[in-house]
Amino acid sequence: MVHYSFSTILMTFITCNLIIVLITMCFKREKILLSIGYKLTAVFLVLTLLRVLFPFELPFAKNVYLPTALSAVIVLIRHPFLKPWGLPVSLWTAFELVWIIGFIIRLYKQNKEHKAFYRFLRLCGRDITMEEPYHSVLSTVCGMRKNPFRLLRIPNLQFPVLVGIWHPCILLPDHYELTPDELYYTLRHETFHHYKRDLITKYGVSLLCMIYWWNPACVTIKKQLYHVMEMRVDENVAGMDKHTAVAYLSSIINIMENLQSDDQVPVPSGISAFLTKEQTVEVRQRFHMLCNKKRTQWPLFIALLTIIAGIYLGSYLVIFEADFVSDLTAPNTISTPNEFYAILNQDGTYHIYYNEIFIEYTDTLEYYPPDILIIDK
């Protein structure tokens, strides 16, 4: 039976943050990243996302009980301090309510940002799709593949941007004329994002981060996943030729230097930008990934993969639970202090108590000690 509870959220939180710590170490240490490659790092990120998407306990999971002090904290979190209209409200209930409200607020803000951004595009964008040299370069970049792209010049745009999942549009800055090389590499970069459906992935990750807005690991997941996507684009645009890699990254640096501006159009979350302020600090790392490719160091590769896979699978095999110690002597009597018991309701559900403190309302005793005292209401 799949089970959702405070304990499953706790395991998800611990697991994701442990994996994120290891991923961050890979990104911070250039030698490690060059040794294992960005593809393995992408696998780490995917496992983290899967864990966040499925914060449940599986039937084969084994409960590991926490120390008494931590168990007492969980009892405090689960204890209902208020009962408006007969509904028990605990700290956990309040957290879930804040969780939902926070998600709705973030969803509303992002939707508002996107509407404002697309309204700005309709009012200020200038279509240059059929103008030269844009039309010819775009045709060359797409080659035999489908060419659904529109090109727009946008005032005060700091970096080239790809928008639109089904009707893609590449936005170019209006205040700077890209050189032929810069235009070619920019269009190759953005069209590759579209062909690989990166915008769908980015919107999905953005939505996931809005759902788990309270988890600091999500911020790192989002940033590093975008970084991995850019590295993948770099590798495909530059190919295996070091001279092409130098020309490509030189174009990125030149665009960065010429388009710096404080008065810029804000780009909503989830949209693919050719280069953002956050990514400028990673250009050197991306350059090294392209120009200093090394053979994968298999011992390090296997060690990291084993650790990450162990953490991921272990989080489903083991679930941390509060430890409630009961001293049951009278099976048909009301419990005394420091005892753990369940009250059976007429509808077959249970109210769980510990030391006369209400813990939770549940329809199963599967996750409680088999010798728990049951009182028929």
Side-chain angles (χ1 to χ4, degrees), residues 15 19 47 51 60 307-318:
T15 304
I19 296 178
L47 290 178
R51 191 63 181 90
F60 51 78
I307 292 172
I308 296 293
I311 293 174
Y312 177 75
L313 296 175
S315 69
Y316 285 114
L317 295 174
V318 175

Side-chain angles (χ1 to χ4, degrees), residues 2 108 260:
V2 176
Y108 170 77
Q260 291 291 340

Side-chain angles (χ1 to χ4, degrees), residues 210-265:
M210 285 191 290
I211 294 174
Y212 290 93
W213 58 267
W214 49 269
N215 191 340
C218 283
V219 178
T220 307
I221 290 174
K222 185 176 181 179
K223 179 181 177 182
Q224 293 186 341
L225 184 63
Y226 287 8
H227 190 182
V228 167
M229 287 182 178
E230 294 305 318
M231 287 182 175
R232 182 186 63 175
V233 173
D234 291 342
E235 185 177 64
N236 281 271
V237 171
M240 303 299 294
D241 183 17
K242 184 175 292 189
H243 296 291
T244 303
V246 171
Y248 167 63
L249 289 171
S250 296
S251 297
I252 292 180
I253 295 171
N254 195 48
I255 292 173
M256 177 183 67
E257 291 176 346
N258 285 280
L259 295 181
Q260 291 291 340
S261 172
D262 295 329
D263 183 22
Q264 60 175 316
V265 178

Side-chain angles (χ1 to χ4, degrees), residues 102-118 202-210 222 226 267-271:
F103 167 67
I104 293 173
I105 290 174
R106 281 160 177 78
L107 187 63
Y108 170 77
K109 286 184 176 179
Q110 177 155 310
N111 184 59
K112 185 178 180 180
E113 289 177 0
H114 275 75
K115 285 184 176 179
F117 182 71
Y118 282 104
K202 289 188 175 185
Y203 277 119
V205 173
S206 182
L207 177 62
L208 188 66
C209 290
M210 285 191 290
K222 185 176 181 179
Y226 287 8
V267 179
S269 175
I271 288 177

Side-chain angles (χ1 to χ4, degrees), residues 142-328:
C142 294
M144 300 300 294
R145 295 174 295 185
K146 184 179 179 180
N147 181 2
F149 301 97
R150 291 176 61 214
L151 299 178
L152 293 180
R153 293 290 291 267
I154 305 296
N156 298 324
L157 186 69
Q158 188 167 8
F159 297 108
V161 173
L162 173 68
V163 299
I165 294 176
W166 312 117
H167 303 286
C169 183
I170 299 174
L171 311 181
L172 301 175
D174 195 32
H175 59 287
Y176 174 70
E177 192 68 39
L178 299 175
T179 67
D181 282 346
E182 291 169 358
L183 179 62
Y184 173 76
Y185 287 121
T186 296
L187 296 184
R188 283 198 64 183
H189 184 104
E190 299 303 344
T191 55
F192 186 84
H193 274 306
H194 172 75
Y195 291 129
K196 293 299 181 180
R197 301 298 182 189
D198 283 349
L199 279 187
I200 296 177
T201 303
K202 289 188 175 185
Y203 277 119
V205 173
S206 182
L207 177 62
L208 188 66
C209 290
M210 285 191 290
I211 294 174
Y212 290 93
W213 58 267
W214 49 269
N215 191 340
C218 283
V219 178
T220 307
I221 290 174
K222 185 176 181 179
K223 179 181 177 182
Q224 293 186 341
L225 184 63
Y226 287 8
H227 190 182
V228 167
M229 287 182 178
E230 294 305 318
M231 287 182 175
R232 182 186 63 175
V233 173
D234 291 342
E235 185 177 64
N236 281 271
V237 171
M240 303 299 294
D241 183 17
K242 184 175 292 189
H243 296 291
T244 303
V246 171
Y248 167 63
L249 289 171
S250 296
S251 297
I252 292 180
I253 295 171
N254 195 48
I255 292 173
M256 177 183 67
E257 291 176 346
N258 285 280
L259 295 181
Q260 291 291 340
S261 172
D262 295 329
D263 183 22
Q264 60 175 316
V265 178
V267 179
S269 175
I271 288 177
S272 175
F274 181 68
L275 190 67
T276 64
K277 282 187 175 180
E278 290 76 12
Q279 291 169 349
T280 57
V281 299
E282 299 164 353
V283 171
R284 178 175 175 272
Q285 190 177 60
R286 290 165 61 181
F287 184 87
H288 278 276
M289 287 293 294
L290 281 177
C291 300
N292 298 288
K293 292 181 181 179
K294 298 180 180 179
R295 290 185 177 180
T296 301
Q297 295 186 11
W298 288 105
L300 179 61
F301 180 97
I302 294 173
L304 286 173
L305 184 59
T306 302
I307 292 172
I308 296 293
I311 293 174
Y312 177 75
L313 296 175
S315 69
Y316 285 114
L317 295 174
V318 175
I319 298 293
F320 292 131
E321 295 278 2
D323 183 19
F324 301 102
V325 180
S326 59
D327 182 16
L328 306 177

